Amino acid sequence: MVQFSDNTRGALFMMGSMTAFTINDAFMKALSDELPLFQALFVRGLATVICLSVLCAVMGQLRFSLTRRDWGLLLLRAIGEVGGAYFFITALFHLPIANVSAILQALPLTVSLAAAVFLREALGWRRVTAICVGFCGVLLIVRPGGADFNIYSLYALAAVACVTLRDVVVRRLSPDVPSVLVALIAAIAVMVFGGFASLLIEWQPFTVKASLQLGGSALFIIFGYVFSVAAMRVGEIGFVAPFRYTSLLVALVLGVVVFGAWPSGLTLVGAFVVVATGLFTLYRERRLRIRHMIVPDRIR
């Protein structure tokens, strides 16, 4: 049997996670012609909560004896998760999947910037430059004032802001807070939000097609959660994190094969800029983390 290193297995898990999440996105986008957003969010959330609860119980992570500080952070993270889900899926319903996915690739840049501003993490001039260039790439994708620009491009940017909040908050959680429990609480928050919001709309009947699409979405988002947790537990974060960009490649393929949409040249250039600067940012963070471990008192 082939023996893989921990980092290789972590990278494979990250690629599997990003692939699963992107296939889930494709199912949700296909659902836009079948079911209203909030109905789909609630039903998918219900299936996800049930499966994650079972997974939590099996892994022995279904425990709620957390500190008040951790509960406050989990509540704040849940708000970010709910906002991210609403804005992202709304944008997904109205924009090409590759465009929305490309905008979301700015996350390593926004998380680094937010961590520097709110968590006082060191941020050198190289990463500041990379972040500025990366944001220029985002502008190439969104193109404010262009013929293809609409309000849903701003929804995608709002999703980036919400997910940034979610990812920055999780850095402040105590190490003993179970990873799957964090995912479960986020799924519960999205389900509750979708459930209450769905009371304000008229529910549509579930056709066989819609049921299969919703089932596929729930199945792949669970795979995404499980693989992402495995990726973070197996490999070094600095090595594994760059493989999150697998989602953009999968989104490009699904956009062409499933939805018959190929991004414009400027969108592809912007996506390349965002990915390149994001990879550089992750590389610098890894280098500085290693340097800081070797020489703790060295100024970064």
Side-chain angles (χ1 to χ4, degrees):
M1 295 179 63
V2 178
Q3 297 294 324
F4 294 110
S5 67
D6 286 346
N7 277 344
T8 300
R9 288 191 293 130
L12 291 173
F13 277 131
M14 178 60 77
M15 293 170 66
S17 170
M18 292 299 102
T19 299
F21 278 132
T22 309
I23 294 175
N24 154 74
D25 295 339
F27 273 118
M28 290 299 290
K29 182 172 179 61
L31 265 173
S32 61
D33 295 332
E34 298 281 336
L35 299 177
L37 169 64
F38 297 127
Q39 181 181 349
L41 268 182
F42 172 70
V43 178
R44 187 194 70 172
L46 180 62
T48 305
V49 166
I50 292 173
C51 293
L52 285 177
S53 297
V54 173
L55 181 63
C56 254
V58 169
M59 296 179 66
Q61 295 190 1
L62 196 62
R63 56 181 187 269
F64 301 98
S65 55
L66 307 178
T67 65
R68 181 177 299 179
R69 174 182 177 276
D70 282 331
W71 277 118
L73 290 172
L74 285 172
L75 176 61
L76 187 58
R77 185 185 185 277
I79 293 172
E81 187 79 45
V82 168
Y86 169 70
F87 287 117
F88 178 77
I89 297 178
T90 302
L92 194 64
F93 275 18
H94 297 88
L95 296 174
I97 185 173
N99 290 44
V100 182
S101 181
I103 294 173
L104 209 65
Q105 304 314 310
L107 274 173
L109 306 175
T110 57
V111 170
S112 293
L113 182 60
V117 173
F118 298 107
L119 304 183
R120 304 299 182 185
E121 293 188 8
L123 192 64
W125 68 268
R126 294 180 182 87
R127 283 188 289 167
V128 170
T129 302
I131 289 170
C132 293
V133 174
F135 286 156
C136 291
V138 173
L139 290 177
L140 285 176
I141 301 170
V142 177
R143 293 194 295 282
D148 296 330
F149 177 79
N150 57 47
I151 186 65
Y152 300 109
S153 298
L154 298 181
Y155 273 59
L157 292 174
V160 171
C162 291
V163 178
T164 299
L165 169 66
R166 181 198 71 183
D167 289 354
V168 169
V169 166
V170 80
R171 296 190 182 196
R172 308 301 296 174
L173 286 172
S174 302
D176 57 343
V177 178
S179 301
V180 181
L181 179 63
V182 175
L184 173 61
I185 292 173
I188 291 173
V190 174
M191 180 194 69
V192 171
F193 168 74
F196 278 111
S198 68
L199 298 176
L200 305 176
I201 63 172
E202 182 179 352
W203 277 48
Q204 298 299 314
F206 287 94
T207 63
V208 173
K209 179 182 177 183
S211 299
L212 291 174
Q213 290 171 336
L214 200 54
S217 174
L219 177 65
F220 278 99
I221 200 172
I222 291 167
F223 277 127
Y225 278 132
V226 173
F227 287 155
S228 64
V229 171
M232 292 297 101
R233 288 185 178 275
V234 172
E236 299 173 17
I237 295 178
F239 181 88
V240 170
F243 289 90
R244 65 170 288 112
Y245 291 111
T246 302
S247 62
L248 181 56
L249 297 177
V250 177
L252 286 169
V253 173
L254 290 176
V256 174
V257 174
V258 179
F259 303 105
W262 181 255
S264 67
L266 280 177
T267 297
L268 290 175
V269 171
F272 174 80
V273 171
V274 170
V275 170
T277 52
L279 287 172
F280 176 79
T281 300
L282 293 170
Y283 165 76
R284 286 296 302 173
E285 286 181 356
R286 185 166 185 251
R287 285 287 302 274
L288 293 172
R289 190 180 299 113
I290 294 173
R291 185 185 304 173
H292 185 64
M293 290 172 62
I294 297 174
V295 188
D297 59 342
R298 181 167 181 170
I299 297 175
R300 290 179 283 175

